[in-house]
Amino acid sequence: MAARWDAELARTSTIRISAPEGQMAAQSEAVLEVLRTTPGIASARVMSEAEQRKLLEPWFGPDLPLDTLPVPRLIEVLEEGRGPDAAGLKLRLSAEAPGAVLDDHTRWRRPLVNAATRLRILGAVSILLIAGSTAAMITLAAQSALAANGQVIGVLRLIGARDVYIARAFVRRFTLRALVGACVGTVLAMIGVLFMPAAAEEGAFLTGLGFKGWHWILPFLIPPLAAFVAFWATRWAAFRTLSRLS
Amino acid sequence: MFVCDARKDAKRGIKQKAGQSLIELKNAGFTYGGRDILSEMTLRLQPGSFHFLTGPSGSGKTTLLNLCYQALLPTTGMVRIFEQDVRAMTRDDIAKMRRRIGVVHQNCQFLDHLSVRDNLALPLSVSGREDDIHPSNLDDLLGWVGLTERGEALPPELSGGERQRAALARAIIMSPDLILADEPTGNVDWEMAQRLMALLVELNKMGKTILIATHDLNLIRTVKSEVSARVLRINNTKLQLAGADL
């Protein structure tokens, strides 16, 4: 999501023109001319009044008389490649159109990307915590199961069973349970994600918590990961408990 | 035939181990809760020998048997099993050693959720010899201990005598070098006790080394009339050779 936010916001920038009514058209034309000759700009267009009204609608309501208000004109710029040299573009704009201000979204893109990066770290820590708590629960369950089967273990030892033989029975059972449980949980979670309400197209890059394309494969890693954790947690608990029961 | 296999195996075992001791105790002692249970125990069990261990209840017979298969470690002195010092044994060594010793407990430890037949096959399973589990061998063994009709029964469904005979069958399925029996006739009537002793005498005639802990002197006298057996007595924590009255 952090990458998507960064990419989506980095591809666009906005030029805001605040000028007296008589100069607005001339400065707009000058800005468009500057943009046409600037490398790294794919396209640029002046936003219509209807589009600007739509942008302001959430704050001022649907009947905003734009023509009577000193609303700056907005030019939407779509970038290509590595984008334009922002510092150079600002200098050229100040020379050609003094009322034009370039907003390359850096100011509010950075905290968003930082937040998304932290969300990513939080996600990784959550996975580690879930794996750790799963291992702890399985360890406790395995220890309880071993303690409850003390008599069975005694009989098996009497007839010459090695610890690895005894542990194998518990490891197999707990690994299988973890695998089946994780499979069921993953399928249910994926169904939940599949039926999550879709966000509006224009805001999707800010939300968009579903999976896209090959990302649907990622949840399938959960069951083998759970089985792996269960295998080693049970094995560790079994050998530890068996060494105490000697 | 299983019994024939055991006979051949036992004869081969005697040849291989001539002059060696299966069990050797040298000034071994065991203290529990600050009280001497056994002290200065010196004993050598030669291959093919038949020993009785007697003494009053609580004299330490079971403790001595436990020392003989490393269920307990001596607190003083030395115990060697199959020429190996018990203190130097790893957990795997202990498991391998126990596959060579058949133990018949007074309270016959079984896995109650498995049938008698499965319980008999268990020592082969835990030692990785599943290929040796043949129904005909199990039938042969069940027939030998008179439990042909009880193979599919669960251990709790067996009478005391049947459990003792099943325990004896399980003890010998691995064709062990040594059989340790702790009060094997403790829960059965005189007729069943004689049947069990007859089975043990038969095993000894096949070359198996037998050590039986019992306080039943009449039974010892009966067996001594059939086989050359040494009678050891635990008296005041020490081991003595029993007198001519036995």
Side-chain angles (χ1 to χ4, degrees):
Chain A
M1 192 163 69
R4 197 162 71 235
W5 284 6
D6 195 24
E8 294 273 0
L9 292 169
R11 278 210 312 267
T12 61
S13 54
T14 310
I15 293 171
R16 191 175 68 247
I17 303 168
S18 301
E21 188 57 35
Q23 296 175 21
M24 189 65 90
Q27 289 206 19
S28 299
E29 199 50 47
V31 168
L32 288 173
E33 185 54 33
V34 167
L35 292 174
R36 262 194 293 273
T37 57
T38 303
I41 303 291
S43 65
R45 67 178 185 90
V46 179
M47 292 182 77
S48 67
E49 276 192 12
E51 286 174 305
Q52 287 194 233
R53 187 177 286 115
K54 203 173 174 185
L55 283 174
L56 294 170
E57 199 176 280
W59 287 274
F60 296 102
D63 303 321
L64 181 69
L66 267 185
D67 46 342
T68 61
L69 289 172
V71 178
R73 184 161 289 176
L74 297 178
I75 296 178
E76 185 188 52
V77 180
L78 288 178
E79 299 171 359
E80 64 182 6
R82 300 179 66 183
D85 168 20
L89 182 57
K90 280 177 185 169
L91 280 174
R92 287 183 65 200
L93 286 174
S94 61
E96 302 289 334
V101 177
L102 173 67
D103 178 4
D104 61 359
H105 303 164
T106 308
R107 192 158 44 93
W108 57 285
R109 188 175 75 201
R110 190 169 295 132
L112 264 180
V113 172
N114 283 346
T117 306
R118 283 180 188 146
L119 270 178
R120 182 190 285 169
I121 294 168
L122 190 68
V125 170
S126 302
I127 288 171
L128 285 177
L129 281 174
I130 290 168
S133 51
T134 303
M137 281 189 291
I138 289 171
T139 301
L140 286 174
Q143 282 175 340
S144 302
L146 282 154
N149 285 283
Q151 193 196 344
V152 172
I153 292 168
V155 173
L156 291 173
R157 281 196 162 150
L158 178 72
I159 58 175
R162 295 165 65 206
D163 284 355
V164 70
Y165 178 90
I166 300 169
R168 198 183 298 141
F170 289 92
V171 168
R172 192 186 299 132
R173 187 188 304 172
F174 279 89
T175 304
L176 200 62
R177 282 181 185 175
L179 183 67
V180 171
C183 282
V184 171
T186 301
V187 168
L188 290 177
M190 286 175 74
I191 292 170
V193 170
L194 189 67
F195 288 105
M196 260 171 55
E201 192 56 40
E202 60 269 26
F205 80 97
L206 283 173
T207 53
L209 288 173
F211 295 111
K212 280 183 181 171
W214 67 271
H215 289 169
W216 281 101
I217 296 171
L218 290 176
F220 289 105
L221 295 176
I222 293 171
L225 183 69
F228 179 81
V229 170
F231 176 86
W232 287 107
T234 314
R235 192 178 158 86
W236 179 81
F239 278 106
R240 193 158 172 262
T241 308
L242 288 171
S243 67
R244 283 180 183 167
L245 288 175
S246 62
Chain B
M1 295 286 281
F2 172 81
V3 178
C4 294
D5 287 348
R7 189 178 290 130
K8 283 180 202 165
D9 188 68
K11 283 178 181 170
R12 192 167 59 245
I14 288 173
K15 277 182 189 173
Q16 286 169 348
K17 296 180 183 69
Q20 295 179 345
S21 299
L22 301 187
I23 304 282
E24 183 180 1
L25 282 77
K26 211 177 262 181
N27 293 320
F30 185 79
T31 305
Y32 184 76
R35 190 170 76 91
D36 281 346
I37 308 296
L38 300 172
S39 59
E40 297 172 27
M41 293 269 155
T42 296
L43 171 69
R44 285 166 70 96
L45 291 189
Q46 302 292 349
S49 61
F50 198 122
H51 286 79
F52 280 106
L53 183 62
T54 187
S57 182
S59 59
K61 299 188 292 293
T62 300
T63 304
L64 180 55
L65 286 187
N66 284 341
L67 290 176
C68 290
Y69 67 99
Q70 221 260 25
L72 291 174
L73 282 171
T75 45
T76 57
M78 184 198 73
V79 174
R80 289 170 68 83
I81 304 174
F82 301 125
E83 303 290 316
Q84 203 177 355
D85 190 332
V86 291
R87 292 182 203 283
M89 283 181 175
T90 64
R91 300 173 71 78
D92 280 354
D93 288 339
I94 294 167
K96 284 175 192 165
M97 170 269 289
R98 286 183 184 166
R99 291 173 193 173
R100 296 177 63 188
I101 299 178
V103 181
V104 182
H105 268 283
Q106 187 178 7
N107 57 354
C108 308
Q109 298 174 332
F110 292 107
L111 298 190
D112 288 345
H113 61 285
L114 297 181
S115 68
V116 171
R117 181 182 286 275
D118 290 339
N119 266 289
L120 295 196
L122 204 55
L124 293 170
S125 295
V126 302
S127 55
R129 288 173 53 189
E130 285 90 348
D131 293 345
D132 292 343
I133 303 173
H134 298 299
S136 58
N137 278 355
L138 293 176
D139 289 341
D140 192 23
L141 191 55
L142 284 166
W144 184 68
V145 294
L147 292 174
T148 305
E149 306 298 321
R150 306 292 280 154
E152 300 309 320
L154 295 174
E157 297 167 358
L158 301 180
S159 69
E162 286 172 332
R163 285 172 69 85
Q164 295 287 6
R165 281 181 282 154
L168 182 58
R170 187 185 64 185
I172 64 165
I173 195 163
M174 292 284 284
S175 194
D177 299 308
L178 171 64
I179 293 165
L180 304 174
D182 187 8
E183 300 282 5
T185 58
N187 297 324
V188 298
D189 57 29
W190 175 248
E191 192 184 340
M192 183 56 68
Q194 283 186 311
R195 270 182 78 180
L196 280 165
M197 281 300 147
L199 293 173
L200 287 162
V201 167
E202 193 179 342
L203 284 168
N204 179 248
K205 286 176 178 170
M206 291 175 193
K208 303 293 180 192
T209 308
I210 313 279
L211 174 59
I212 301 170
T214 181
H215 61 269
D216 190 338
L217 300 183
N218 286 333
L219 202 66
I220 295 173
R221 287 190 194 102
T222 306
V223 172
K224 278 194 77 176
S225 65
E226 294 180 42
V227 69
S228 169
R230 288 177 77 195
V231 183
L232 307 166
R233 177 182 286 147
I234 297 177
N235 194 15
N236 289 329
T237 76
K238 294 187 173 57
L239 197 62
Q240 303 168 338
L241 195 60
D245 56 323
L246 290 172

